[in-house]
Structure formats: structure tokens, C-alpha cells
Amino acid sequence: MALKQRLSGIRRICKKNDYFESDYMIFDLLDYIFGELKMIVYKLLFFGKLKYHIYGKYSRQLQIRIFNKGRLYIGKNTVFRAGTKIRIQKTGKVTIGSGTGFNYYCIINSHNSISIGENTIIGQNVKFYDHDHNYKTHGNRRSTGFTTEPIVVGDNVWIGSDCLILKGAKIGSNSVIAAGTVVKGEIPESSLVYNKKEIVIKEIAYKELRF
């Protein structure tokens, strides 16, 4: 009964998003069905460390790893497309609000705390890191430890593809982060954020070949 209810939830969400208008979308549906089965296995594996809502779309290629005292909380109607990886270590905690969606190949890596609000759109290849290697300590780089600060993303935020969200970042609600932006520090609500980039175009001075 529980499995039937979960699959019914997936179908309801897919139908709401017109997932049955094209024949090839059946492959996406199958991906999410197998993904839901995988989430059940994760739930059993991680016991109380993982809490998620049955109404969501979880790709079978979603990877979750929770170590030590880590915690993961996922709201309803969330979307995780293929290749997204969530890794929580030590006392890290990740909270993902309802209605938030992750495009392909995103990474969330937490040692401290990462909180992402509701109805937020995450583009492809976006990465969240709430920690850095403690490079100021002498010794083997693999054993010098980490420095950490929480990451907080508000509601209704749009983060474009290939962005990097670093420790201590606080992104206000209704903000837009342009593709390829590196974010650190505090971003006020309703902000448009981008890194200035200049494209340099030069003519190639080809040398004439002599035979």
C-alpha cells in the first residue's frame, strides 16, 4: 500500500507537469519510479538520518551519502534530476524546502549546515560547499581538517548553471544568480548577482604556408 501510494504521487506530479504529452517522457517516468524505490532503500539504510516526502521526483541516479551524525530533510514536490549527489559528513545538516528542483549533476557537500528554501530552481552543475580545507595548518593535506560556515538560500531563488556556492553564503529570497557565478558572503533579497566577465576576441594572424 505504501509503495502504491508513492508511485501514485510520482504519477500525479508528472501529470501536473505534462509528462505524458510525449512518448519519450515514459523514460523519465521510469527513472523516477526506480528512483523512488531507491529512496526507500536509502530510508532503511540511514534510519532517522533521512526524512523526505513521498510526493517528489527522485532520479534513480540521485546519490545520497550520510555519515556520522549527518541529517538530510527534503520537503514535498521536490525534483532531483540525474547525477545529483548529496554528501553529508560529521554533524552536517542539509534542509531542502518544498517545491525546489535540482537540474542535472548538482553537488551538495556539507560538514556544517546547508539550508535551501522553497520553490528554488537550481541549474545544472551547481555546487554547494559549506567548508574549506584548513590550508593554514601544516601537515598532510588530507588530515589538516576543515573550516566551516553555514550556507543559507532563501525562497524562490533562481541559481543558474555552473554556479559555486561557498561557505558562509547567504542568498536572500527572490534573488537570481547568473550562470557561472561564484557566491560568498551575504546577498540581499531580490538581487541580481553575476561575476563580470569580459570576452576577448582577437584575430588569428595566420602565417602563409610556403611550399
Side-chain angles (χ1 to χ4, degrees):
M1 179 62 70
L3 178 58
K4 184 177 180 181
Q5 183 182 10
R6 292 172 190 270
L7 297 180
S8 175
I10 294 173
R11 185 178 178 85
R12 181 179 63 84
I13 294 171
C14 290
K15 188 173 182 180
K16 181 180 178 182
N17 290 281
D18 299 325
Y19 263 74
F20 296 104
E21 290 189 357
S22 301
D23 292 338
Y24 70 88
M25 289 299 183
I26 189 65
F27 295 107
D28 287 341
L29 177 60
L30 290 173
D31 182 39
Y32 292 130
I33 290 174
F34 284 113
E36 182 62 46
L37 296 174
K38 189 174 182 179
M39 289 298 292
I40 295 173
V41 174
Y42 278 143
K43 179 73 172 178
L44 296 174
L45 179 64
F46 297 124
F47 296 103
K49 295 181 179 181
L50 168 63
K51 294 183 179 180
Y52 74 100
H53 203 282
I54 61 172
Y55 292 131
K57 294 196 291 185
Y58 309 97
S59 169
R60 63 184 175 85
Q61 295 183 47
L62 168 63
Q63 182 185 105
I64 297 175
R65 300 291 184 268
I66 306 175
F67 302 95
N68 309 116
K69 297 181 179 180
R71 295 289 186 273
L72 173 59
Y73 304 98
I74 301 174
K76 64 181 179 179
N77 294 332
T78 52
V79 177
F80 293 86
R81 289 187 173 169
T84 295
K85 297 182 179 182
I86 302 174
R87 185 180 181 90
I88 308 172
Q89 302 179 79
K90 302 183 183 298
T91 57
K93 177 182 176 182
V94 173
T95 303
I96 298 169
S98 297
T100 288
F102 291 82
N103 216 322
Y104 300 100
Y105 302 107
C106 294
I107 293 177
I108 300 174
N109 196 327
S110 176
H111 286 210
N112 186 314
S113 174
I114 298 176
S115 175
I116 300 173
E118 298 183 350
N119 302 312
T120 287
I121 302 173
I122 312 295
Q124 294 185 41
N125 298 308
V126 174
K127 298 175 177 63
F128 298 82
Y129 297 101
D130 64 5
H131 58 281
D132 280 334
H133 284 274
N134 189 2
Y135 63 89
K136 294 183 179 180
T137 301
H138 290 291
N140 188 324
R141 290 295 184 202
R142 294 180 61 85
S143 59
T144 54
F146 299 89
T147 60
T148 70
E149 291 182 52
I151 291 174
V152 179
V153 179
D155 299 329
N156 201 40
V157 173
W158 178 13
I159 301 178
S161 298
D162 295 306
C163 287
L164 178 60
I165 315 300
L166 299 175
K167 69 172 189 178
K170 296 180 180 179
I171 303 174
S173 296
N174 304 306
S175 292
V176 175
I177 313 298
T181 301
V182 178
V183 179
K184 58 182 179 180
E186 187 166 353
I187 307 298
E189 291 188 3
S190 304
S191 296
L192 172 62
V193 182
Y194 58 93
N195 294 139
K196 285 188 175 181
K197 306 178 184 70
E198 293 185 1
I199 298 177
V200 178
I201 302 175
K202 293 184 177 181
E203 183 180 356
I204 301 174
Y206 288 109
K207 294 181 179 180
E208 190 173 322
L209 294 177
R210 295 182 180 180
F211 297 96

